[in-house]
Amino acid sequence: MDFFELSCLLVITACVFYLFYRKKGERKISDFVSKFPADKIKNKPTEQVHYDVAICGAGPAGSTCAYYLAKLGWKCLILEKKKFPRDKYCGDAVCKTAIEILMDMGVYDQLIRENKAHVADSGGLVSPGGLSYIGRSKEVLGEIPAAIACKRIHLDEAIAKAAQRMGADLREEWAVNEAKFDNSAGLWTLYREGATDTFKARVLVCADGAPSRLGTQLGLITRPPDSTCSRAYVEGGTHKFKADGVVFYNKEMLPGYSALFRHPNDELNYCVYIIPGNPKVTPDDLKYWHEYLQTNDLNISRALGGEAKIERMNAASLRLGGEQVSYGHHVLIVGDAAGMIDPLTGEGIHHAMEGGKLAALFLDEAIKQGNYDEGLMKIYHQRWMNKFGFDFKWSMIFCQMMYRYPILLDASAAALKRKGDKFLAKWADIMTGRVPKIYMLKPEFSLTLGYELLRLLIARFNGQKKNENKSL
Ligand SMILES: Cc1cc2nc3c(=O)[nH]c(=O)nc-3n(C[C@H](O)[C@H](O)[C@H](O)COP(=O)(O)OP(=O)(O)OC[C@H]3O[C@@H](n4cnc5c(N)ncnc54)[C@H](O)[C@@H]3O)c2cc1C
């Protein structure tokens, strides 16, 4: 057993212990004394001079949080620095957990009706060794698809406007420049540059994306984002891609990967995710990999074809794996700002929305209790960590395993090929965090992958023998 394998074993043991014992010591909201009773103001928002909650950033995290807070009857403000419709560099893959929330908001039907989202049916992966499986999901999954492709210029506006319709006060072109807390009044005051208007709120939610300028300014976020990802749209009718969504694993850049995803009107999204873990591939190399893969990875270049009209590369940062702290006195952090991006996939829309909803439900209880002390706000952090955040540790272990043993991905593609679409649907649930990554250790997966791994190793060994015999 080498050092890496020993470390993996120790980390796995530590994680199992942690999973068993983490819930101990979690306090209840009702344990805290009420300092700012809210009973009288609920459902009478206009009588209040301050907001219950002010949210900085109207991305999927902030707007989802605002939607549910407004639905619960609280006076909620969302401040967004840009004006909708506004773009956000993204792979545009919106997976099942986010789709369920969009359906609950009534936004999903609207996007489909307006031809702003494409339901992904055929999809799969190409492994580092060139094995591939492209399956179909509609028949297996029925009503709720595995994923849709929706440009963020449409998605983010639709969610923000749904929150506004629900009663949240949305202010566009309002960039929060500073937030000051008055301890005696228990209120935040929010400022913007070059203007004198301000807003007051009991709780502040930072949903300002991966760089989280505000979270950093408040001293809650203490490190820069971990990585970066590219995006380029490919004009419809100019490429040769037949599927709806395919993930391409290139051996040289593991555990990172690239993906092609089909939008309505045959347009594609081509993006490259740099995932930390490979010392030879750093975020600074993104441009190189973005260009290298589209011409030198045979599977990608074939899918694009020689005539593809590809837009210039755009890029944005990724904050992966969950922050240590996503709360403070009268303040919560949600979405990318809190690092709610899965390190295995670089995807975070679903966690941003799940986190936003979870924050709203938590704040509903906190406002009723009338207490926003740090100790109480910590319960929010424990809740999202329990729901999906602890799983990020497993994602990091899986990333290392993929990087060190790319054959595991070949075995996965072979297993998908043999087991078909139902297995692909379960695989997708693991990859998108709907079920814990540890499910990969269930016999259904581990035995199937183990079998394929053995077959590949034997085939490789026989191939090597043949070559040796030839050269003799
Ligand atoms: C290139 C790329 C590809 C990706 N592909 C996928 C994918 O295919 N699927 C997936 O699930 N995830 C993907 N992700 C991750 C996904 O984009 C994020 O997880 C998601 O956007 C998180 O939403 P959010 O609301 O937390 O942050 P954001 O979407 O970044 O929203 C933050 C909002 O805050 C606003 N804001 C910032 N500062 C201020 C301020 N001071 N005052 C007021 N407003 C402010 C911003 O304008 C923005 O509207 C990708 C990321 C990148 C970079």
Side-chain angles (χ1 to χ4, degrees), residues 91 228-230 253 256-259 271-275 318 345-347:
T228 180
C229 180
S230 68
M253 72 158 304
Y257 69 95
S258 61
C271 53
V272 176
Y273 296 80
I274 303 280
I275 306 282
L318 302 170
T345 60
E347 294 188 340

Side-chain angles (χ1 to χ4, degrees), residues 60 112 117 179 188 229 356 441:
I112 298 287
W188 287 97
C229 180
L441 302 179

Side-chain angles (χ1 to χ4, degrees), residues 1-13:
M1 191 181 279
D2 68 13
F3 178 70
F4 170 69
E5 284 158 341
L6 184 67
S7 322
C8 272
L9 196 69
L10 286 174
V11 172
I12 289 169
T13 317

Side-chain angles (χ1 to χ4, degrees), residues 250-374:
N250 183 292
K251 195 173 174 179
E252 294 172 67
M253 72 158 304
L254 288 172
Y257 69 95
S258 61
L260 287 174
F261 211 47
R262 181 186 300 279
H263 276 291
N265 308 323
D266 197 40
E267 203 176 347
L268 298 182
N269 184 324
Y270 165 62
C271 53
V272 176
Y273 296 80
I274 303 280
I275 306 282
N278 181 342
K280 290 195 193 126
V281 182
T282 69
D284 294 340
D285 306 326
L286 180 66
K287 194 169 175 359
Y288 166 79
W289 286 106
H290 182 92
E291 282 162 13
Y292 175 83
L293 293 177
Q294 77 188 45
T295 41
N296 295 302
D297 182 302
L298 274 185
N299 297 299
I300 300 175
S301 60
R302 227 180 273 148
L304 289 171
E307 308 293 316
K309 286 194 183 149
I310 308 173
E311 148 192 83
R312 168 183 75 78
M313 182 191 103
N314 292 297
S317 53
L318 302 170
R319 182 181 290 280
L320 306 158
E323 287 297 317
Q324 295 285 324
V325 169
S326 61
Y327 60 93
H329 195 54
H330 288 240
V331 57
L332 295 183
I333 306 180
V334 291
D336 277 15
M340 291 180 184
I341 298 190
D342 192 330
L344 189 61
T345 60
E347 294 188 340
I349 298 172
H350 52 301
H351 290 315
M353 295 183 74
E354 209 178 1
K357 183 174 177 181
L358 204 138
L361 300 180
F362 165 81
L363 284 173
D364 180 48
E365 291 177 62
I367 300 169
K368 281 178 190 155
Q369 183 65 15
N371 191 313
Y372 312 92
D373 285 350
E374 197 175 335

